[in-house]
Amino acid sequence: MSMELAGKLKEQYRTDTKWFSARWHYIEGCILKAYLDSCEQSGDEREYGFVKSFIDRLFDANGDIPGIRLESFNIDQIRMAACLFPLWQRERDPRYQKILDSLYGQLSVYPRTNAGSFWHKENYPSQVWLDGLYMGQPFLVQYVKQFAEHKDYSDTLQQFRNVREFIYHEEKRLYSHAYDESRAIFWSDSRTGQSPNVWLRAVGWFAMALVDVLELLEGEPADAGELRVYLKELADDMLPHRHSSGMWYQVVDEPDVPGNYLETSGTLMLAYSILKGVRLGYLPSEYRTYGIDAFNGTIARYLREEDGEVLLGGICRSAGLGRKPETGEMRDGSLVYYLFGEAVVDNNGHGVAPLIMALNEIGLLSESLTGGSAANGRKLD
């Protein structure tokens, strides 16, 4: 029944758009990517049509998308553009390439740390957040792969290398949420520059960036072996912190702190990354169990139906660091902030998108296994 509800939520989200807005935004970009992946797997043209119509509504009469701010450096706005590649490949609509070219052009002048990483946003100078790797790097790799005459992926590889060097907390053997090269922001450690806590969804963003970029680099002139090492290391470091349900906590390494909770979005991002990593050969086959358990544990705990509507709970609505420009809210990266400073909500796209992505991977797994069972005898539902 839980798997049936997950499938029903996937259909509900596509046909009832009250849960998200017609806007150029990274959350919608993640949702659209999930449906594009599903369409590639299933051949369901309704899913492709949903993505295309959503994107096309964002254009104005001049072939521009007003929601994109080329004068503003914000790595989050790059994420949505990754959805344009499959549309361009199929339609050859010049409007799509115009947007791709414009955003790639912005990245060519985007502000960077001294080590060469994109700032998270212009109002967060010298800061690199784990989130930003998923927002920017798959787009950058796919653009070079699709359009560049000279295929050079060294920039992307260096930016992943920087994250491992500067955001990985050696004592904890986990990734912090972010890093400030300048040490100027109040939340940064004066010695390491890192933020003080391990936020689950940040780790999830980074895991998805690793596995998606690895897939894009297959067959390309790039030595991606170090990315495989980072993915395996990340999985190994996270496994000791799993709850018995297969899920992970909002603040990963503080399970006993009052108010800490098993969080949906980050768990499902890890489920997707692990399952895809196994499928593509980046992780050992026995790790498949961890991805399945994370998926099943999440839907068992948080997926429900009320009055005919499917709801996915346990999703941290949002989290960040420093002053939020839209509201002036100050986010200090403390345990109190992560546990009590952001609402826990239903059906937010941060959680629904990786649910659909993980569901896609479960579907691919089911096709490859006999009897509908997974590795080590675990059933998918």
Side-chain angles (χ1 to χ4, degrees), residues 337-357:
Y337 165 70
Y338 285 116
L339 301 184
F340 304 106
E342 297 287 355
V344 182
V345 297
D346 291 336
N347 278 16
N348 181 281
H350 288 104
V352 175
L355 178 137
I356 298 171
M357 294 179 196

Side-chain angles (χ1 to χ4, degrees), residues 11-262:
E11 181 66 14
Q12 173 185 293
Y13 222 71
R14 180 178 65 83
T15 56
D16 182 358
T17 57
K18 73 179 181 180
W19 296 105
F20 58 98
S21 306
R23 59 178 179 166
W24 185 271
H25 194 277
Y26 76 88
I27 297 177
E28 279 68 25
C30 293
I31 294 166
L32 298 184
K33 178 201 183 297
Y35 283 104
L36 285 169
D37 289 351
S38 179
C39 176
E40 184 177 355
Q41 174 186 335
S42 69
D44 188 340
E45 285 297 306
R46 295 174 301 172
E47 294 176 334
Y48 177 83
F50 163 67
V51 174
K52 184 177 185 303
S53 64
F54 187 102
I55 292 289
D56 287 351
R57 288 197 304 272
L58 302 180
F59 283 96
D60 64 16
N62 297 320
D64 297 315
I65 296 179
I68 297 174
R69 298 284 184 263
L70 289 175
E71 71 282 2
S72 174
F73 294 108
N74 179 344
I75 203 67
D76 285 348
Q77 73 174 343
I78 304 297
R79 176 64 245 175
M80 184 78 150
C83 298
L84 296 179
F85 289 105
L87 297 181
W88 181 85
Q89 289 164 5
R90 181 162 169 174
E91 309 293 338
R92 289 300 195 265
D93 187 329
R95 297 180 304 166
Y96 301 146
Q97 185 163 358
K98 178 182 179 182
I99 300 299
L100 291 169
D101 291 344
S102 296
L103 288 171
Y104 181 74
Q106 189 197 50
L107 288 182
S108 70
V109 296
Y110 199 97
R112 296 172 181 252
T113 64
N114 293 331
S117 293
F118 295 138
W119 291 4
H120 192 65
K121 297 179 183 179
E122 62 186 348
N123 55 302
Y124 301 136
S126 301
Q127 296 175 31
V128 181
W129 300 10
L130 288 183
D131 322 21
L133 276 291
Y134 187 69
M135 302 305 162
Q137 294 307 318
F139 169 85
L140 181 57
V141 169
Q142 198 159 2
Y143 188 94
V144 171
K145 185 175 181 177
Q146 186 73 56
F147 298 115
E149 183 175 348
H150 176 57
K151 313 295 185 187
D152 183 358
Y153 300 102
S154 58
D155 186 1
T156 287
L157 294 175
Q158 183 60 50
Q159 294 201 45
F160 277 101
R161 198 175 296 125
N162 289 343
V163 166
R164 176 59 180 81
E165 180 176 355
F166 298 119
I167 307 184
Y168 187 74
H169 195 290
E170 294 288 351
E171 289 77 20
K172 293 181 179 180
R173 297 203 60 80
L174 293 167
Y175 284 92
S176 300
H177 185 173
Y179 157 80
D180 177 15
E181 184 181 65
S182 72
R183 289 17 175 216
I185 192 67
F186 67 91
W187 50 254
S188 67
D189 182 273
S190 61
R191 180 178 63 87
T192 66
Q194 293 180 14
S195 59
N197 284 295
V198 181
W199 179 41
L200 174 60
R201 189 155 75 222
V203 179
W205 287 127
F206 187 56
M208 294 202 302
L210 283 166
V211 75
D212 285 0
V213 166
L214 276 166
E215 181 182 36
L216 288 167
L217 289 177
E218 287 190 349
E220 294 298 300
D223 183 359
E226 61 190 314
L227 300 191
R228 293 188 181 215
V229 171
Y230 299 159
L231 180 65
K232 171 90 166 33
E233 178 184 62
L234 184 154
D236 288 342
D237 289 343
M238 291 294 288
L239 291 178
H241 299 282
R242 287 193 313 151
H243 182 261
S244 59
S245 66
M247 296 187 69
W248 282 271
Y249 282 92
Q250 164 78 342
V251 179
V252 172
D253 57 335
E254 298 286 355
D256 298 325
V257 171
N260 206 355
Y261 60 96
L262 297 170

